[in-house]
Amino acid sequence: GAVVSQHPSWVICKSGTSVKIECRSLDFQATTMFWYRQFPKQSLMLMATSNEGSKATYEQGVEKDKFLINHASLTLSTLTVTSAHPEDSSFYICSARDPTAYNEQFFGPGTRLTVL
Amino acid sequence: GQQVMQIPQYQHVQEGEDFTTYCNSSTTLSNIQWYKQRPGGHPVFLIQLVKSGEVKKQKRLTFQFGEAKKNSSLHITATQTTDVGTYFCASISGGSNYKLTFGKGTLLTVNP
């Protein structure tokens, strides 16, 4: 199957700093990428849908000014957690839709963010 | 919005026993997908069902989509320790963005 990479795999930062997470589709072009957040022992919650060349669509309750998403190319989307606080600590996972693989989404390995 | 309810939340079995997780929706689903997430890992796509009454098999895994397309199940025959993980059902909402709505997942643990 298609491969999606995510970087970094984990990050620890101080409260108030910003953290950027990259999501790349390695062997296909992804017009649409998705960002999820997963708390321990919970399900994945969709944060936003990222479309190449346009503004991201955020889910209800997700602050767009806090979670900045940029989908600058067909293979790269970035999520920046601005002014991170301890409550932002979570597992952030991206996925990418391969338009040639009907409806299948390929998930990145995730980024574990810990805010001290 | 579209919601899928998944039960049970947890299931612990002895190796060799069978396991089933169920997903239900109050609305008709256009499709249902199943994912497996190993502890510390990320979700991995298992299968997609789109047809009413569809049944698909992958070795010891059997996936079913209800006749009314409102429920689905994943059944594992003779579980093995490698089956450990959380199994999620998910459904794609309508529209062009192909957003996935996940069930809460069922955590399967297998006692060797």
Side-chain angles (χ1 to χ4, degrees):
Chain A
V3 179
V4 174
S5 70
Q6 212 171 316
H7 178 80
S9 56
W10 59 270
V11 57
I12 301 173
C13 69
K14 292 182 179 180
S15 188
T17 60
S18 294
V19 175
K20 180 185 281 189
I21 303 170
E22 292 186 350
C23 178
R24 293 181 185 272
S25 57
L26 298 185
D27 50 2
F28 67 100
Q29 293 185 330
T31 52
T32 305
M33 290 184 172
F34 303 88
W35 287 96
Y36 297 86
R37 182 173 180 174
Q38 187 178 34
F39 291 107
K41 298 185 179 181
Q42 293 191 21
S43 187
L44 287 82
M45 296 301 296
L46 180 65
M47 299 175 66
T49 303
S50 171
N51 292 298
E52 186 266 337
S54 64
K55 290 184 179 180
T57 303
Y58 290 81
E59 295 300 301
Q60 192 172 8
V62 177
E63 299 177 57
K64 61 180 181 181
D65 294 330
K66 181 165 183 63
F67 299 99
L68 301 178
I69 292 172
N70 187 351
H71 194 153
S73 76
L74 285 171
T75 60
L76 172 65
S77 176
T78 61
L79 167 68
T80 302
V81 184
T82 62
S83 186
H85 289 96
E87 58 266 28
D88 298 323
S89 299
S90 188
F91 192 47
Y92 292 87
I93 310 175
C94 71
S95 72
R97 177 179 167 264
D98 182 352
T100 66
Y102 179 62
N103 286 343
E104 185 172 345
Q105 288 190 20
F106 300 93
F107 284 81
T111 297
R112 191 162 301 282
L113 170 65
T114 302
V115 184
L116 303 177
Chain B
Q2 184 170 268
Q3 288 188 328
V4 285
M5 308 301 291
Q6 191 173 354
I7 56 169
Q9 192 173 358
Y10 306 99
Q11 184 77 60
H12 178 75
V13 300
Q14 287 291 128
E15 189 171 23
E17 292 181 339
D18 293 355
F19 159 76
T20 306
T21 173
Y22 302 89
C23 271
N24 294 286
S25 171
S26 58
T27 59
T28 302
L29 303 170
S30 59
N31 59 77
I32 194 88
Q33 296 184 358
W34 286 92
Y35 291 81
K36 177 183 179 181
Q37 185 177 22
R38 293 182 186 274
H42 62 280
V44 174
F45 176 84
L46 295 177
I47 211 159
Q48 177 175 260
L49 305 171
V50 295
K51 297 178 182 177
S52 168
E54 189 170 14
V55 178
K56 288 187 176 180
K57 292 191 176 184
Q58 290 179 351
K59 298 182 179 178
R60 292 178 295 106
L61 277 61
T62 302
F63 304 84
Q64 291 187 314
F65 201 9
E67 292 289 343
K69 299 180 73 173
K70 291 185 176 182
N71 58 75
S72 181
S73 65
L74 157 59
H75 179 81
I76 302 178
T77 304
T79 55
Q80 299 174 359
T81 54
T82 53
D83 295 325
V84 165
T86 302
Y87 293 84
F88 293 98
C89 62
S91 187
I92 291 183
S93 59
S96 59
N97 271 336
Y98 299 90
K99 292 195 310 182
L100 275 176
T101 299
F102 281 83
K104 290 190 179 298
T106 297
L107 172 61
L108 172 65
T109 54
V110 180
N111 201 28

